[in-house]
C-alpha cells in the first residue's frame, strides 16, 4: 500500500530532494561509513512498540558494542524495564542516530534480549552499577552476575543514513540557491542499504571469520 496526494509530471521526480541527494556509492563504502558514523555518535534513540496499546516509544541508549563487522548493535538493559516487555511482544526495532551537523542514520531490525552470563560478562561495564543500583540483598548488586543485567542485540535488516558532503557554509549556499531557483539543494549523501545487501555483508564477514 502506498500514499499519494497528487500526480507529478512523468519526467520529474516526485521527491526532488531524494533524487538530488542519493549517493550510489559501493556497498563496501556504504557499510564502512555507516559503521564509522554510529561509532562516532555513540548515543542513539531506540524505538519499540508497546505491547498493550501498539504505540511507539523511544528512549536514549548508549551503544555498548557491535558485532557482524559493526552492523549488529549491542546495548545494555535492565531486564525488568519496559523495553524488554515491548520486545517480548514485538522484536522489531529501530535505532536512530543524529549528530550536531544534521547527519543521521536509521537502522531497522529485530532485537533479542540476551541473559546468559557468558554474554553479560563479555559486555559488562562497571558503570552499569550506577544505572542498575545495588539492592543490598547480595544478589542484585549491579555486578556482572546480577540477573537484572541483560543485553539487547539488534540484528540489523536495513539502514538509511545521510552524511554531509560539504561544510556548513557550502550547505547554506546550496540551500539559499534552492530557495531562489526552486531546485532541490545537494546538501547530503543519502544512502540506503537494503536487506539483501545487509545479508550479503554478513555472509562475507561470517565466511572470513570461519577461515
Amino acid at each position: 500500500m502506498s500514499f499519494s496526494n497528487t500526480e507529478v509530471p512523468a519526467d520529474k521526480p516526485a521527491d526532488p530532494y531524494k533524487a538530488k541527494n542519493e549517493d550510489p556509492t559501493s556497498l563496501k563504502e556504504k557499510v564502512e561509513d555507516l559503521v564509522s558514523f554510529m561509532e562516532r555518535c555513540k548515543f542513539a534513540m531506540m524505538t519499540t512498540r508497546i505491547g498493550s496499546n501498539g504505540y511507539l516509544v523511544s528512549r536514549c541508549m548508549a551503544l555498548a558494542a557491535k558485532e557482524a563487522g559493526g552492523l549488529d548493535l549491542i546495548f545494555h538493559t535492565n531486564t525488568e524495564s519496559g523495553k524488554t516487555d515491548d520486545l517480548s511482544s514485538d522484536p522489531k526495532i529501530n535505532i536512530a542516530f543524529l549528530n550536531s551537523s544534521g547527519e543521521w542514520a536509521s537502522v531497522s531490525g529485530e532485537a533479542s534480549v540476551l541473559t546468559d552470563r557468558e554474554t553479560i560478562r563479555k559486555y559488562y561495564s562497571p558503570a552499569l552499577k550506577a544505572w542498575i543500583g545495588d539492592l543490598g540483598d547480595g544478589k542484585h548488586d549491579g555486578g556482572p552476575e546480577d540477573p537484572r543485567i541483560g543485553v539487547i542485540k539488534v540484528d540489523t535488516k536495513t539502514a538509511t543514513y545521510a552524511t554531509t558532503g560539504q561544510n556548513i557554509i557550502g550547505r547554506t549556499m546550496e540551500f539559499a540557491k534552492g530557495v531562489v531557483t526552486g531546485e532541490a539543494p545537494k546538501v547530503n549523501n543519502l544512502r540506503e542499504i537494503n536487506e539483501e545487501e545487509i545479508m550479503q555483508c554478513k555472509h562475507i564477514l561470517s565466511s572470513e571469520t570461519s577461515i
Side-chain angles (χ1 to χ4, degrees):
M1 181 181 294
S2 61
F3 175 86
S4 178
N5 193 46
T6 188
E7 188 173 331
V8 300
D11 61 337
K12 300 293 182 182
D15 186 349
Y17 165 79
K18 182 175 182 180
K20 189 68 174 285
N21 288 271
E22 277 186 316
D23 183 24
T25 189
S26 69
L27 177 57
K28 182 176 184 292
E29 185 175 346
K30 285 195 295 186
V31 170
E32 289 178 348
D33 287 353
L34 171 64
V35 171
S36 175
F37 176 70
M38 293 189 296
E39 268 184 357
R40 295 196 307 273
C41 283
K42 177 64 176 177
F43 293 97
M45 296 299 289
M46 174 184 288
T47 300
T48 57
R49 186 180 300 277
I50 302 172
S52 60
N53 55 32
Y55 294 139
L56 302 176
V57 59
S58 302
R59 73 281 287 166
C60 185
M61 301 285 287
L63 183 61
K66 302 183 302 301
E67 293 182 352
L71 287 172
D72 290 346
L73 310 179
I74 300 292
F75 298 90
H76 294 122
T77 187
N78 183 333
T79 61
E80 311 311 299
S81 67
K83 54 187 171 291
T84 54
D85 290 339
D86 298 346
L87 294 172
S88 68
S89 61
D90 186 350
K92 291 183 174 60
I93 196 169
N94 180 266
I95 308 295
F97 297 84
L98 176 69
N99 69 15
S100 59
S101 297
E103 296 176 308
W104 57 269
S106 173
V107 175
S108 295
E110 294 190 0
S112 52
V113 180
L114 309 179
T115 57
D116 64 280
R117 288 304 103 187
E118 183 179 351
T119 299
I120 304 309
R121 294 188 198 103
K122 179 180 179 180
Y123 293 117
Y124 179 77
S125 167
L128 287 170
K129 192 164 187 174
W131 295 102
I132 301 293
D134 186 346
L135 303 187
D137 61 355
K139 180 179 181 180
H140 303 95
D141 58 2
E145 305 306 315
D146 188 327
R148 296 173 300 161
I149 295 179
V151 160
I152 293 175
K153 178 179 177 179
V154 178
D155 180 9
T156 296
K157 300 297 185 183
T158 66
T160 303
Y161 70 102
T163 58
T164 57
Q166 50 189 315
N167 60 32
I168 185 65
I169 295 175
R171 297 201 304 274
T172 301
M173 291 179 63
E174 186 73 11
F175 180 77
K177 173 186 171 185
V179 171
V180 174
T181 64
E183 181 180 342
K186 169 62 177 170
V187 292
N188 286 318
N189 297 316
L190 184 61
R191 299 169 175 176
E192 296 181 353
I193 309 176
N194 62 37
E195 190 167 0
E196 183 179 344
E197 291 173 322
I198 293 287
M199 290 177 62
Q200 177 184 339
C201 288
K202 290 183 179 181
H203 176 71
I204 292 172
L205 288 164
S206 176
S207 299
E208 291 176 347
T209 302
S210 62
I211 295 175

